[in-house]
Amino acid sequence: MSQYFDIGDETLWNPSNGVSRMFQRQVAVFEAELELPSGIGPMVNDECQISPDTFETFVNALLAQHRKTSHSIWLALCEGFTAAVLVLAERAAIKVDWARHGAAPEAPFEDVQVSTVTGMSAPAEGTAWAAGLRGKAQELGRRMPR
């Protein structure tokens, strides 16, 4: 069995039921964390519609939040989800402003990791940060069935 994540009549992703349930639960976590709707609707009869405009706002807010942190545990917890969201965004032809996200964050850093040995860690340099996320999304995209 599988479920469908669609925009209109176009299927962006067709994961197994278990993967779909886990992804949908993570969507709810990140909607709460970002205080934004994702645009990813409920699963009804094994189909889920994605609202492109709402999803675009969510994707960009997720990337902005990701960029503002250097905490290794926070990053580890969200990178797989972020990569999957980027695959869906690419398939939906959603524009991601990598130059804007790669620049030094305007807001103060959040969830930074502080060590008594090394002090406060800083987020990765913008180009490296963007390349790392894009690479993870490309790799994952090859494994995400349509």
Side-chain angles (χ1 to χ4, degrees), residues 125-143:
E125 183 274 326
T127 305
W129 171 82
L133 271 179
R134 292 172 98 170
K136 286 178 179 148
Q138 288 172 346
E139 182 180 329
L140 187 60
R142 289 190 286 272
R143 296 185 180 107

Side-chain angles (χ1 to χ4, degrees), residues 75-146:
L75 292 170
L77 289 171
C78 79
E79 282 194 349
F81 175 77
T82 303
V85 164
L86 286 171
V87 172
L88 293 177
E90 181 179 322
R91 290 177 180 177
I94 287 174
K95 299 229 182 222
V96 173
D97 188 348
W98 287 104
R100 179 175 62 97
H101 290 302
E106 294 174 11
F109 293 129
E110 296 178 6
D111 293 316
V112 296
Q113 194 163 356
V114 179
S115 164
T116 56
V117 176
T118 61
M120 185 173 78
S121 61
E125 183 274 326
T127 305
W129 171 82
L133 271 179
R134 292 172 98 170
K136 286 178 179 148
Q138 288 172 346
E139 182 180 329
L140 187 60
R142 289 190 286 272
R143 296 185 180 107
M144 286 177 65
R146 285 187 184 241

Side-chain angles (χ1 to χ4, degrees), residues 3-8 12-13 20-21 23-28 31 36-56 58 88:
Q3 299 185 323
Y4 297 86
F5 288 82
D6 301 330
I7 288 185
L12 304 179
W13 186 29
S20 176
R21 276 192 312 274
F23 180 75
Q24 290 172 305
R25 288 178 180 135
Q26 288 180 319
V27 166
E31 285 177 327
L36 284 173
S38 65
I40 298 173
M43 192 60 67
V44 178
N45 297 323
D46 293 329
E47 293 181 358
C48 168
Q49 281 294 319
I50 299 173
S51 167
D53 293 338
T54 306
F55 188 54
E56 181 174 353
F58 179 79
L88 293 177

